[in-house]
Amino acid sequence: MSIAENLRAVRAAITEAAQAAGRHPSTVQLVAVSKTYPIEAVQEAYAAGQVVFGENRVQELVPKQQALPQAQWHLIGSLQTNKVKQALQAAALIHSVDSQRLLQAIDKQAEALSLTAHVLLQINISDEDQKHGLDEPEADALLADMAHHNAYPHVQVHGLMGMAAFTDDSTMISRQFARLRQARDAFAARYPQHPRLPLEHLSMGMSGDFALAIAQGATLVRIGSAIFGHRG
Ligand SMILES: *Cc1c(COP(=O)(O)O)cnc(C)c1O
């Protein structure tokens, strides 16, 4: 199957999962994860109408963003503080803010670049130690600092991101996604109408589990191999 055909099938599956959950399909945005695939594959997807792309490494994000600046690029993988400047210049949204130190570095660079950084906080929902992410109390503390002490004034937090455990147990995966949804809803209720805490997004769901994520409220699904094929 071609990338265009894969994209059509993924979009149809997203629509079906949204409708099954009683949601309007337009409330779920597809982030096409193009990591490891050549720019030609990205261009093919863009020609087929895909606009938002995700990369997990800054070294790969930057040249692809420069080759296709008319697309919208998201950083979805872990970010080192020494690459924050490049990340902010290339990415419209950083999904993977997983520490206070990183948030601090992002705020500082955003100020230096005179821009607002748009981010999600990555939460460890799988309880797997090797997965990056804040735990919920840590995220809560960062948001409270922003809301009550005007901390990180050059940052807007658009929501939460999480990755489910690597398992076939769909009940467990759904439970982890539901936890992320509950955390986002609780934060959004605590900081309503805060201009730097819109908290509208839940980035969860990949090729293997996006239907479960949409059922639990995902607004951004990050899908790679179902569109571009298996990575070598
Ligand atoms: C690679 C990756 C994805 C996409 O995974 P697929 O299984 O290929 O859909 C999603 N999110 C993150 C953080 C990734 O690194």
Side-chain angles (χ1 to χ4, degrees), residues 165-204:
F166 189 69
T167 170
D168 290 333
D169 182 346
S170 56
T171 306
M172 182 194 250
I173 293 171
S174 291
R175 209 184 308 123
Q176 293 175 352
F177 288 151
R179 236 175 78 191
L180 193 68
R181 162 74 183 267
Q182 284 156 13
R184 193 283 307 263
D185 288 352
F187 293 150
R190 206 165 308 154
Y191 310 111
Q193 319 272 308
H194 192 289
R196 291 191 298 108
L197 303 177
L199 296 171
E200 77 276 33
H201 280 308
L202 271 174
S203 170
M204 57 190 195

Side-chain angles (χ1 to χ4, degrees), residues 34 42 53 55 61 64-65 68 71-75 90-93:
S34 48
V42 176
F53 293 90
E55 286 286 333
L61 167 72
K64 284 179 174 167
Q65 188 272 335
L68 200 67
Q72 187 186 111
W73 292 90
H74 293 187
L75 182 69
L93 183 67

Side-chain angles (χ1 to χ4, degrees), residues 86-144:
Q86 286 179 291
L88 284 175
Q89 287 170 322
L93 183 67
I94 297 173
H95 292 226
S96 42
V97 174
D98 58 2
S99 71
Q100 181 189 14
R101 193 167 153 262
L102 179 58
L103 187 61
Q104 198 128 39
I106 288 172
D107 181 62
K108 205 174 137 200
Q109 267 306 333
E111 179 176 23
L113 294 167
S114 302
L115 52 78
T116 298
H118 299 281
V119 310
L120 306 177
L121 300 184
Q122 183 172 353
I123 309 292
N124 187 349
I125 53 171
S126 72
D127 296 322
E128 289 170 1
D129 286 341
Q130 73 273 24
K131 292 243 164 92
H132 293 271
L134 300 154
D135 58 31
E136 286 172 36
E138 287 171 329
D140 195 13
L142 295 179
L143 296 174

